[in-house]
Amino acid sequence: MVDGGRRISVALVGTRGVPARYGGFETCVEEVGTRLAAWGHDVVVYCRSGKTDDRPAEYEGMRLIHRGAMHRRSLETLSHTGLSVAHLLRHRTDAAIVFNAANAPYLPALRAACIPVATHVDGLEWRRAKWGRMGQAYYRTAESLAVRWSDALIADAQGIADYYRDEFRAETQLIAYGAPAVTPGDDLLEGVGLQAGGYHLVVARFEAENHVDLIVEGYVRSRSTKPLVVVGSAPYAEEYSRRVRSAADERVRFLGGVWDQRLLDQLYAGAASYLHGHSVGGTNPSLLRALGAGTAVIAYDVSFNREVAGAAAAYFTDASGVASAIDIADGDPALLERRRRAAARRAAEYDWDDVADRYEQLCLRLAAHELVRTARPWGRQRTGAAGRQAAEERAGRIPGRGTSGVEGRIHGAAR
């Protein structure tokens, strides 16, 4: 934190902006940007706006610049970032953070304008099922561009840092997200027909790599009398949404998107367990929020989730594992209590103040031109199928191995 030191201007580009209502990037922008502004820096956040959105000029000390976007899945991010960068080139800041490697084609323009830039590369976006062959090829190319044209790369998980080192021989700044301290409460649960401890919860966008369908299928196989509450929506995935709903029985309740943050926090804190199926991204804010709420976690078994939750969670790889984990949790209140305590301890290791301090130090170094690179890797440095598989395994593509049966699908020290 700056204390009588240099104040700089920082642009945060490439997300939907603030207030955070969508995903990890937006959460990071709000949590980090709010703190940087409070510490005296001039923080500019580029926000994606629709025709009917309110467009405030300021939020929590951050200056907001609103730009539109083409409302097509393949062009929404790129079109918005293009308009944002065009504005930034005319209103330069001392440093910029670009979120999402997909925005890498705009990096040369920022460098030409002498705006030092770091790119938050996120997870293996090209592995997401929603992208076709051309989309996957684009994302793989964008990773190479981000490596070549960024002054620094930010990874939010060790698996992502390992992937960029193995694939590109490129070093990253490892800065994970923080875990919110969720205030307990249940006064809003009655309004949606729930009571604390009386339901299981999943919160996710309806996308194949988030395994919502697998979680619903597994829950239906369980003997649980507690409903499964599903929070999430699918703006571009109608077919997948139908698949999720067709897997449900009468015990499954779909709430759709929940934008009331107090209600969402109470849903996390009041759940008997939180089921987390994300498998592609790095450090996930939904998982961190569950830990911050002190909720017992049952997570899909990939390195990203193990890195965050560690022994505080149980893990699954298939529907049978989900069913077994739920049945075990329902039948052992003492186990749930141990997992809750373990979750709270784990959450304490993810501190947004520390995260913001790391971003501040990075931005100060960018603004001082300490990170401008002369030698830039171009293209992937690792070749061959074996090398690529090794890199992808390290980045969390392939679930954990070495165990089988129920014990292989459900494990964790808090048992």
Side-chain angles (χ1 to χ4, degrees), residues 121-128 131 139 143 159-160 163-164 279-282 304 391-397:
V121 292
D122 196 27
L124 304 184
E125 187 69 22
W126 53 270
R127 292 300 309 171
R128 295 189 184 275
W131 304 120
Y139 271 100
E143 289 178 349
I160 299 301
Y163 171 78
Y164 274 84
S279 64
V280 173
F304 300 129
E392 291 172 5
E393 282 190 16
R394 291 172 70 88
R397 173 186 174 188

Side-chain angles (χ1 to χ4, degrees), residues 167-308:
E167 280 286 288
F168 300 100
R169 298 178 187 170
E171 295 303 314
T172 59
Q173 306 283 326
L174 179 58
I175 311 177
Y177 294 148
V182 176
T183 303
D186 60 6
D187 58 296
L188 299 180
L189 293 181
E190 185 177 351
V192 290
L194 299 171
Q195 60 181 3
Y199 58 93
H200 299 282
L201 177 70
V202 55
V203 180
R205 292 198 298 272
F206 285 12
E207 296 178 348
E209 57 276 357
N210 292 343
H211 295 99
V212 182
D213 56 340
L214 185 151
I215 290 171
V216 171
E217 179 186 348
Y219 168 81
V220 168
R221 294 187 190 183
S222 78
R223 300 185 299 272
S224 184
T225 59
K226 298 173 181 176
L228 175 68
V229 175
V230 180
V231 175
S233 58
Y236 295 113
E238 292 182 5
E239 181 179 347
Y240 184 76
S241 181
R242 286 193 294 270
R243 188 194 316 170
V244 171
R245 292 179 180 275
S246 67
D249 63 13
E250 68 281 354
R251 295 173 295 165
V252 181
R253 292 191 51 194
F254 293 93
L255 296 189
V258 173
W259 310 115
D260 183 330
Q261 191 60 62
R262 282 191 62 231
L263 173 57
L264 192 58
D265 284 347
Q266 290 187 17
L267 286 168
Y268 276 103
S273 74
Y274 165 73
L275 292 110
H276 185 77
H278 297 64
S279 64
V280 173
T283 302
N284 185 272
S286 295
L287 179 54
L288 287 169
R289 186 167 293 278
L291 295 174
T295 305
V297 170
I298 301 169
Y300 191 73
D301 192 5
V302 289
S303 64
F304 300 129
N305 296 336
R306 283 187 168 274
E307 182 180 335
V308 174

